[in-house]
Amino acid sequence: MLSAETRLADLLSQYPSLMDFLASYSPKYELLRNPVLRRTLGKVVTLRQVAEVGGVEIDKLISDLEAEIARLEGQPASKEEILKEIILDLHRGVPVEQLKSRFASLVSQIDGSELAALEQKIIAEGVPEEEVKRLCDLHVDVFRESLDEQKLPQLPSDHPLQTYLEENKHAKELAGSLMSLLDKRPFPYDELKGQLENFSQIDKHYLRKENQLFPLLEAKGLSGPSSVMWAIHDDIRSLIKQTKSLLEEKAEPGKVISAIKQLVKMTDEMIYKEEQILFPTSLDVLTEDDWRRVREGEAELGYAWIEPPPAVEAEPPKSQQVPTSDNTFPLDTGRLSLEQINLVLTNLPIDITFVDENDTVCYYSEGRERIFPRTPAAIGRKVHNCHPPSSVHVVEEILTAFREGKQDVAQFWLELNGRFILIRYFALRQGGEYKGVLEVTQDLTELRKLQGERRILDWRMQDL
């Protein structure tokens, strides 16, 4: 058992390889490679003094030395434990260069799926997702060399990952075009606006990830990495919006240049994380049937810059798979067949989504023009995962108030692309027992224009 008063000379005498470990632990310990210094100072210096020289906590130094001794004695921690400790050290502020050396000495290689699993694990153990998001770039930096070595296999042209890869090529080209315009004089505000408008199609790329790919990963127990990525998507979206405003206002070129450079940097980093971490992880954990489910809902959300791949043949609707004796169901005020129920729900002039008492999305109406995107991948997904990380706390607050019976209705309204949207949530109860939430979204743009009365039928007025 080591202590603060353990002499360095005694330790190195018993475990000579600790000299290399300490030299990589902190640049200040490189002096230990000097044999004269080791023979003189090493005889009297204690671990407490070593910690003071290196500027590290004595308890941390002793813990790390004991872990290394355990490894040398044939009792190494698992690779998962070692990697988790590296990520947690990032959280504690240990210098990245020091962690790179430690990683190189302990682990020969790591793939993207292992990194994703570790992020999931430390989130489950209490590290906030916002912290993991902040550390994401550092994670990639530490593991970049080993990540660079892995290559995705050749994929069919209609595979969802292949479409993502094609879109990434276009995103890189458009990012390059934006950068090439920054040195042009006079400053090309209009050209940049056009290029940025085209570049903003990347939102479709992110929407498909969020609504099609992420739900399948969550079903496999990998919700942490996807929620971290979603938060970064929102940062990129926000930056695109800010940059558009700067161009519209013809702000000083320096501000525009700074915003575009940041946008390009964030996009490049997201592409790297996708291709080196997310996509390899997805290939590891998703089955052929899972990939089919991903593909089935993609067309509705759209593609960025590329031609849509051939449509897949959809499975028969569930209403056709579960027939009843007379094909009708008794309701509170009548009877309807499954076909009629589906017909009514899909023709409501509103969008509805039903979330059950377990916070699971069970149904959404498929109207002619949805206000917010939904795809079949949402079914069976926890409602918290259907919202950006920045708004999950609001969802939690609503669900808690409904479940505890403190509130029955929550409502919001906003202006979106020139439309006035009302969003309402209703607590559903049966015999006083909480049974879930009904979300109702409605476009009120035209309804807000109504004035006076209209008591006669006029077929010419069909704008509502």
Side-chain angles (χ1 to χ4, degrees):
M1 180 68 68
L2 302 182
S3 73
E5 304 310 317
T6 299
R7 294 189 183 280
L8 179 61
D10 296 338
L11 193 59
L12 292 180
S13 174
Q14 187 173 0
Y15 302 103
S17 63
L18 284 181
M19 182 187 69
D20 290 331
F21 173 79
L22 286 169
S24 65
Y25 193 83
S26 169
K28 294 181 180 179
Y29 298 153
E30 280 286 341
L31 291 173
L32 292 175
R33 298 188 187 277
N34 185 320
V36 176
L37 185 66
R38 285 202 310 277
R39 286 195 299 269
T40 54
L41 290 180
K43 292 181 179 180
V44 296
V45 169
T46 63
L47 290 185
R48 185 189 306 280
Q49 292 167 314
V50 171
E52 290 173 356
V53 169
V56 297
E57 294 290 332
I58 180 61
D59 291 342
K60 175 79 170 63
L61 178 63
I62 289 174
S63 174
D64 290 341
L65 283 170
E66 288 177 341
E68 177 64 5
I69 290 170
R71 187 186 73 82
L72 294 172
E73 291 179 340
Q75 303 169 15
S78 69
K79 184 161 69 170
E80 178 181 294
E81 290 171 339
I82 295 170
L83 295 176
K84 177 188 171 189
E85 188 63 27
I86 290 174
I87 289 178
L88 291 177
D89 274 349
L90 278 170
H91 174 66
R92 299 177 188 123
V94 176
V96 175
E97 288 305 316
Q98 178 180 317
L99 294 178
K100 283 183 179 179
S101 299
R102 215 166 93 204
F103 174 69
S105 67
L106 295 176
V107 183
S108 60
Q109 61 181 7
I110 179 175
D111 61 28
S113 60
E114 285 179 281
L115 180 56
L118 282 166
E119 288 190 345
Q120 175 71 26
K121 185 174 178 63
I122 64 172
I123 288 172
E125 293 180 359
V127 177
E129 290 179 5
E130 277 299 311
E131 281 295 309
V132 178
K133 171 190 166 188
R134 185 176 64 83
L135 297 169
C136 191
D137 290 340
L138 291 180
H139 295 181
V140 172
D141 194 23
V142 169
F143 304 121
R144 186 176 292 272
E145 290 183 10
S146 57
L147 292 175
D148 284 341
E149 293 176 2
Q150 62 182 15
K151 302 295 180 184
L152 287 170
Q154 187 67 36
L155 298 167
S157 60
D158 62 347
H159 193 286
L161 290 190
Q162 187 60 36
T163 60
Y164 284 128
L165 292 171
E166 290 296 322
E167 288 175 335
N168 280 347
K169 289 181 183 177
H170 285 273
K172 290 176 182 177
E173 291 172 0
L174 287 169
S177 297
L178 283 169
M179 292 295 289
S180 68
L181 289 171
L182 298 183
D183 293 327
K184 195 172 180 181
R185 294 295 181 270
F187 198 68
Y189 289 99
D190 291 338
E191 286 183 76
L192 285 169
K193 281 168 61 177
Q195 288 282 6
L196 187 59
E197 189 62 40
N198 191 15
F199 184 82
S200 64
Q201 287 190 53
I202 201 167
D203 186 53
K204 297 177 183 177
H205 179 94
Y206 295 152
L207 279 172
R208 293 205 320 282
K209 284 170 61 182
E210 294 161 356
N211 292 279
Q212 290 300 108
L213 183 56
F214 289 174
L216 275 296
L217 293 176
E218 290 159 13
K220 305 293 183 180
L222 286 173
S223 61
S226 57
S227 64
V228 170
M229 274 197 168
W230 194 335
I232 298 173
H233 294 171
D234 283 348
D235 289 344
I236 292 173
R237 289 170 172 136
S238 177
L239 187 53
I240 288 174
K241 184 176 180 180
Q242 293 171 24
T243 308
K244 284 183 176 180
S245 295
L246 289 173
L247 288 168
E248 195 66 38
E249 299 163 4
K250 294 194 173 180
E252 61 173 296
K255 289 184 178 180
V256 177
I257 291 170
S258 177
I260 289 177
K261 285 183 175 179
Q262 184 183 358
L263 176 61
V264 169
K265 182 176 184 290
M266 290 177 68
T267 305
D268 284 345
E269 289 172 350
M270 175 56 71
I271 289 172
Y272 184 86
K273 289 165 189 147
E274 287 179 355
E275 297 185 359
Q276 301 300 327
I277 299 175
L278 179 67
F279 296 166
T281 300
S282 302
L283 282 175
D284 283 347
V285 302
L286 299 185
T287 65
E288 288 188 17
D289 186 57
D290 291 330
W291 287 118
R292 177 186 175 85
R293 289 179 61 195
V294 172
R295 278 276 288 112
E296 282 179 352
E298 286 191 322
E300 182 175 339
L301 296 172
Y303 298 88
W305 311 297
I306 66 172
E307 290 295 323
V312 294
E313 184 179 346
E315 294 182 2
K318 297 297 181 185
S319 58
Q320 296 178 22
Q321 296 177 354
V322 190
T324 57
S325 57
D326 62 352
N327 202 34
T328 64
F329 290 90
L331 305 174
D332 286 353
T333 55
R335 298 178 67 90
L336 291 174
S337 69
L338 288 171
E339 181 181 8
Q340 290 167 335
I341 292 172
N342 194 55
L343 191 64
V344 169
L345 292 174
T346 55
N347 282 278
L348 291 172
I350 54 177
D351 292 345
I352 64 172
T353 300
F354 171 61
V355 179
D356 71 10
E357 65 271 26
N358 298 313
D359 302 336
T360 300
V361 178
C362 296
Y363 173 82
Y364 67 90
S365 60
E366 189 61 72
R368 295 175 184 174
E369 293 184 12
R370 286 202 60 87
I371 297 170
F372 298 111
R374 292 280 191 278
T375 72
I379 304 302
R381 194 180 190 188
K382 291 297 182 183
V383 68
H384 317 76
N385 295 328
C386 296
H387 294 77
S390 59
S391 63
V392 168
H393 69 286
V394 178
V395 176
E396 284 282 7
E397 183 177 345
I398 293 171
L399 292 174
T400 299
F402 284 3
R403 187 173 283 106
E404 294 176 351
K406 296 178 179 178
Q407 299 290 340
D408 291 314
V409 181
Q411 55 187 355
F412 308 88
W413 49 92
L414 54 96
E415 296 208 14
L416 182 68
N417 298 325
R419 314 296 291 175
F420 187 85
I421 309 300
L422 175 65
I423 308 166
R424 290 177 289 176
Y425 299 89
F426 300 91
L428 303 182
R429 309 185 196 281
Q430 192 171 50
E433 184 180 356
Y434 175 73
K435 290 294 183 180
V437 180
L438 184 68
E439 177 191 56
V440 180
T441 305
Q442 187 173 10
D443 184 344
L444 296 182
T445 307
E446 300 301 327
L447 292 175
R448 295 179 79 203
K449 298 177 182 177
L450 294 179
Q451 293 181 343
E453 296 182 344
R454 176 183 169 190
R455 293 174 176 266
I456 61 172
L457 176 64
D458 187 343
W459 292 104
R460 294 170 299 175
M461 299 182 67
Q462 301 301 316
D463 55 349
L464 300 181

